[in-house]
Amino acid sequence: MEEAERVELTVDAVAPGGHCVARVDGQVVFVRHALPGERVVAEVTELHRGFARADAVEIVEAAPERVTPPCPYARPGGCGGCDLQHVAPAAQLDWKRAVVREQLTRLGGLTDAEIDALRVTVEPLPGGPLGWRSRVRYAVDAAGRAGLLKHRSHEVVPIDRCLIAHPAIQQLPVLGRRWPTADSVEAVASTGGDVVVTALADGVPTRVDLSGPPPAVDVPGGPVVAEADIAGGPVVVEADLPGRPTAQVDGPVGSAAVEVDGSVAVREVAAGRDWTLPAGGFWQVHPAAADTLVDAVLDLLAPQPGESAWDLYGGAGLFAAALAGRVGPDARVTMVESAAEAVAAARRNLADLPRVEVVAARVETALARRRITGPVDLVVLDPPRTGAGAAVVRDMIAASPRAIAYVACDPAAFARDVRTFTRAGWRLAALRGFDLFPMTQHVELIGLFLPPSR
């Protein structure tokens, strides 16, 4: 095979990354825009030692789960953001469940019987497969046009709308206009009703021009910002220039130069609390995700009054707050987070919970250097995409918790950590999957790990 060559092939099982597996003359081909059982014409996009990548550019025999993608950019050579728009929504859940199962077998070392006993499903969230993404970063091309990247490429595909973006983001005048000084544009629509647009150059905020009335307003607890009315709601425009930061906001009645000092804050609502955090800070992108994950973690751990708990990789403190509400005011909850912005947000948002301690450290360091020490009753573990790793798993186990809830955004990393747990005698007692990212290949998992004595 050669790059750009077209070959007709039969598609086999799903694989991680939004692909399906096929074979041509014994060589493995990972095919996008296909479904298991289909006969397709695939165009080779990459060649590697031992495998190739390809896009299905013609469907010879379609699977019954195939649908027409609602977005015109979800096609070979188009936007790479959505992997599964050609798959019916219910079949997307089956696709992700199959990927989880394969990873638990191949990387986690679990038997078919052990996986069957878990009865893993991937549960949809409210709201449907479109209009859910509350945080979108648009790339900007050399001509200043905002868009999204092709799959495995830095090439920008200019678009006029992203259908998985939150409706408030779709209504923003970000697309279809030029951003001559920006590398990217970030848009946020929070669950608290805030809508924020930030343009960035070299990773730092820069000048923003946004159509709309230009009055300057004070945001409580935040900087002076520019605000424009978009479809009946306020849009906060953040900028930060070297020297004298200003935002130039052009409106139908003139323009205003507004000084900006620091990041704009947004309000999120989850776990029965209001959260204030920087617009660019980490928060779950699906509006229903935070509450869904909190409910699942509490259901699996069943915290009891007086129990101690750790929230590792705690972010702004979502799980720490939820745990504190269950274990009561006399129990100790310790949260560990390394990102300075998240630590500041956690300390601010959890200030009314004096028994919650926020430790600013890498989790590996906090455990290895005994910044936090056991015994502890409960652990919530929400590591980055790379997973917790063997050292963190072993150190957690050494603290003798009665249960660990592991929140995972990558099935492969989770499965590798499953193997570490099981080798130490622990077992994966329950596993739930959640479709936090419809139309994409991503899936969120929450696993409950129990020690040998339970």
Side-chain angles (χ1 to χ4, degrees):
M1 287 188 294
E2 298 180 352
E3 261 192 50
E5 180 182 351
R6 294 193 172 191
V7 293
E8 186 169 326
L9 48 79
T10 299
V11 181
D12 200 350
V14 301
H19 307 87
C20 292
V21 179
R23 285 174 173 79
V24 176
D25 297 329
Q27 184 173 11
V28 172
V29 184
F30 293 106
V31 187
R32 280 171 56 83
H33 307 285
L35 277 156
E38 290 188 328
R39 187 76 180 167
V40 305
V41 175
E43 182 173 307
V44 178
T45 57
E46 296 179 30
L47 287 172
H48 301 270
R49 179 176 295 180
F51 71 95
R53 299 183 187 275
D55 287 340
V57 294
E58 180 184 340
I59 310 304
V60 179
E61 297 176 13
E65 299 84 7
R66 174 171 288 277
V67 297
T68 300
C71 174
Y73 304 105
R75 53 177 172 75
C79 169
C82 289
D83 313 282
L84 304 181
Q85 286 209 13
H86 64 290
V87 185
Q92 292 183 30
L93 304 180
D94 293 336
W95 177 303
K96 297 178 184 187
R97 183 173 58 85
V99 169
V100 171
R101 186 182 185 98
E102 189 270 342
Q103 299 289 270
L104 289 174
T105 301
R106 186 169 60 87
L107 300 177
L110 299 186
T111 65
D112 286 343
E114 289 171 326
I115 298 172
D116 289 342
L118 293 170
R119 297 181 180 178
V120 181
T121 61
V122 177
E123 304 171 35
L125 268 61
L130 300 176
W132 55 267
R133 192 172 184 91
S134 64
R135 282 160 168 78
V136 177
R137 174 177 282 201
Y138 298 103
V140 177
D141 68 10
R145 299 173 300 179
L148 296 169
L149 297 178
K150 285 186 178 182
H151 180 64
R152 295 176 58 84
S153 171
H154 295 293
E155 183 179 346
V156 178
V157 179
I159 62 174
D160 58 11
R161 177 165 293 194
C162 174
L163 292 182
I164 66 170
H166 190 285
I169 293 177
Q170 294 190 41
Q171 294 169 4
L172 291 169
V174 171
L175 303 171
R177 53 161 294 136
R178 299 301 171 110
W179 300 87
T181 63
D183 297 323
S184 61
V185 181
E186 291 185 348
V188 175
S190 77
T191 50
D194 299 317
V195 181
V196 176
V197 178
T198 307
L200 299 107
D202 296 325
V204 297
T206 188
R207 183 181 299 273
V208 175
D209 293 326
L210 190 65
S211 299
V217 296
D218 287 315
V219 174
V224 177
V225 298
E227 186 175 86
D229 286 329
I230 304 296
V235 177
V236 177
V237 184
E238 179 186 359
D240 190 6
L241 296 175
R244 181 176 174 80
T246 61
Q248 189 72 26
V249 183
D250 296 327
V253 294
S255 64
V258 183
E259 289 192 9
V260 179
D261 179 17
S263 295
V264 174
V266 297
R267 184 175 68 94
E268 300 285 356
V269 180
R273 299 171 63 89
D274 284 1
W275 302 81
T276 302
L277 63 156
F282 174 78
W283 192 260
Q284 292 290 343
V285 298
H286 194 295
D291 279 330
T292 297
L293 297 179
V294 164
D295 289 347
V297 164
L298 294 179
D299 180 58
L300 290 172
L301 288 180
Q304 301 301 307
E307 289 190 309
S308 59
W310 290 350
D311 177 12
L312 305 183
Y313 309 94
L318 177 68
F319 294 118
L323 289 167
R326 288 294 185 91
V327 299
D330 298 325
R332 170 68 68 179
V333 176
T334 303
M335 191 201 98
V336 182
E337 172 58 51
S338 61
E341 191 175 63
V343 168
R347 287 175 173 162
R348 182 173 60 250
N349 287 294
L350 305 179
D352 63 320
L353 300 172
R355 294 291 288 172
V356 175
E357 179 187 9
V358 179
V359 176
R362 293 174 59 86
V363 169
E364 302 92 319
T365 303
L367 290 168
R369 298 184 181 178
R370 299 182 65 80
R371 292 282 303 278
I372 59 173
T373 57
V376 67
D377 296 307
L378 303 171
V379 177
V380 177
L381 179 70
D382 187 7
R385 187 166 297 279
T386 51
V392 168
V393 171
R394 287 193 293 265
D395 286 343
M396 282 190 305
I397 288 173
S400 302
R402 72 162 176 84
I404 296 173
Y406 188 139
V407 183
C409 58
D410 181 72
F414 176 77
R416 286 190 289 269
D417 288 336
V418 167
R419 186 181 289 269
T420 304
F421 274 106
T422 56
R423 284 177 173 171
W426 283 55
R427 65 186 177 93
L428 179 58
L431 181 62
R432 296 177 66 182
F434 296 96
D435 194 19
L436 268 57
F437 315 97
M439 298 293 189
T440 79
Q441 50 118 350
H442 300 291
V443 60
E444 197 86 357
L445 301 173
I446 302 182
L448 175 67
F449 291 90
L450 297 179
S453 59
R454 298 183 64 88

